[in-house]
Amino acid sequence: IKNRYNHKVTAFTVENNNKIWFCTDDGQLNRLDKSSYSAFPIPAYSAENPKAYVEKLFLDSHKNLFLGSSNHGVLQFTPPTATFRDILANDLTGLTLFVRDIIQTADQEYWFATESGLFIYNAEDGKIKNLKKEKDNPLGLSDNAIYTLFQDKDKAVWVGTYFGGLNYYAYENSVFETFFPRSSANSIEGYAIREIVQDNTGNIWIGTIAFGLFCYEADGSVSCYSSDNTDIYTNGITDLYCQQERMLQQFLDGNRIL
């Protein structure tokens, strides 16, 4: 794709296995299928940020696309009308949002992971709630720099932060539980969480920036896969993908199948 279109692909998603949507560093949303290619210029946010740099491209259950960018917040693209609209551009102080991840937690509810905390968007009424770290609240978020979000099979949401470890939110409790590194062996190491996925048996796999890959099992036990105990050559994990019984890990400088 890079050689053909001469631009770096920054994010992509696949629709129905035969259509690829991807964003490029020239500020365009692109659609590619077996017989055609189309490009849709993303509207400029400002003169200072004329081209949106998209970090996350998310296709929801209604076939709408959500674009999370580092300099334009969150936009929504509606394919039938080929139109963009701003969902969330700035934080409460007016600063442009840096968006790293997007998930859909319910039919009309979306969570946005940003450098300014967690934003929950209700598409039905348009209301947006911003959750941030509160120093006097042990049942809230542990950090405002959020890198990754994942909703598991029980509909609970796992939140990976850069400075505050791993957070867990169960709707029935309405509080965040934090998993901090501990000295015991049965613990997730490191505060910087980059990726979270769940395998077919219900295990939660957590990729960290500097301490390798961890498997959090249903019984509460934790297994670690790192350069210290496996043939993984670096402990910086940037992406995870689980297919059946195989785990694909992408590192800072390569990839491996476990």
Side-chain angles (χ1 to χ4, degrees), residues 14-187:
V14 179
E15 180 181 355
N16 298 330
N17 294 324
N18 59 12
K19 184 185 298 180
I20 299 175
W21 293 91
F22 61 98
C23 292
T24 46
D25 61 358
D26 60 338
Q28 291 200 115
L29 171 65
N30 308 267
R31 182 183 63 205
L32 179 68
D33 58 30
K34 293 181 179 179
S35 60
S36 66
Y37 163 75
S38 301
F40 308 92
I42 302 170
Y45 173 66
S46 66
E48 293 78 18
N49 293 316
K51 297 179 180 179
Y53 193 95
V54 177
E55 300 276 344
K56 177 68 177 185
L57 185 58
F58 176 76
L59 180 70
D60 74 1
S61 62
H62 307 288
K63 304 300 182 183
N64 294 312
L65 288 158
F66 284 80
L67 292 71
S69 73
S70 61
N71 60 353
H72 198 152
V74 181
L75 301 97
Q76 180 181 326
F77 180 78
T78 305
T81 58
T83 54
F84 291 90
R85 71 183 184 98
D86 284 325
I87 299 297
L88 181 65
N90 303 315
D91 64 15
L92 298 178
T93 66
L95 295 177
T96 304
L97 281 176
F98 191 127
V99 181
R100 292 192 178 275
D101 203 3
I102 300 171
I103 62 171
Q104 182 180 9
T105 56
D107 182 64
Q108 296 292 326
E109 184 177 272
Y110 303 83
W111 288 33
F112 306 142
T114 81
E115 293 284 347
S116 303
L118 176 66
F119 288 81
I120 301 176
Y121 168 59
N122 187 317
E124 187 172 13
D125 58 20
K127 292 182 179 180
I128 298 175
K129 178 167 57 176
N130 182 204
L131 302 181
K132 303 186 77 171
K133 177 182 178 180
E134 299 173 299
K135 294 182 180 179
D136 59 347
N137 183 9
L139 300 178
L141 287 172
S142 60
D143 187 31
N144 290 329
I146 301 175
Y147 267 45
T148 186
L149 299 168
F150 179 77
Q151 186 173 42
D152 64 23
K153 296 175 182 177
D154 297 322
K155 303 302 182 182
V157 179
W158 299 76
V159 180
T161 74
Y162 193 76
F163 298 105
L166 182 66
N167 294 178
Y168 173 82
Y169 181 88
Y171 278 88
E172 60 268 23
N173 298 328
S174 298
V175 297
F176 286 93
E177 180 183 355
T178 301
F179 296 84
F180 286 117
R182 296 178 300 174
S183 57
S184 64
N186 194 42
S187 172

Side-chain angles (χ1 to χ4, degrees), residues 233-252:
Y233 55 87
T234 177
N235 290 329
I237 297 177
T238 58
D239 289 283
L240 290 173
Y241 177 74
C242 183
Q243 184 177 22
Q244 296 181 351
E245 298 302 322
R246 308 186 78 185
M247 181 71 63
L248 174 63
Q249 313 150 46
Q250 182 171 333
F251 306 103
L252 294 177

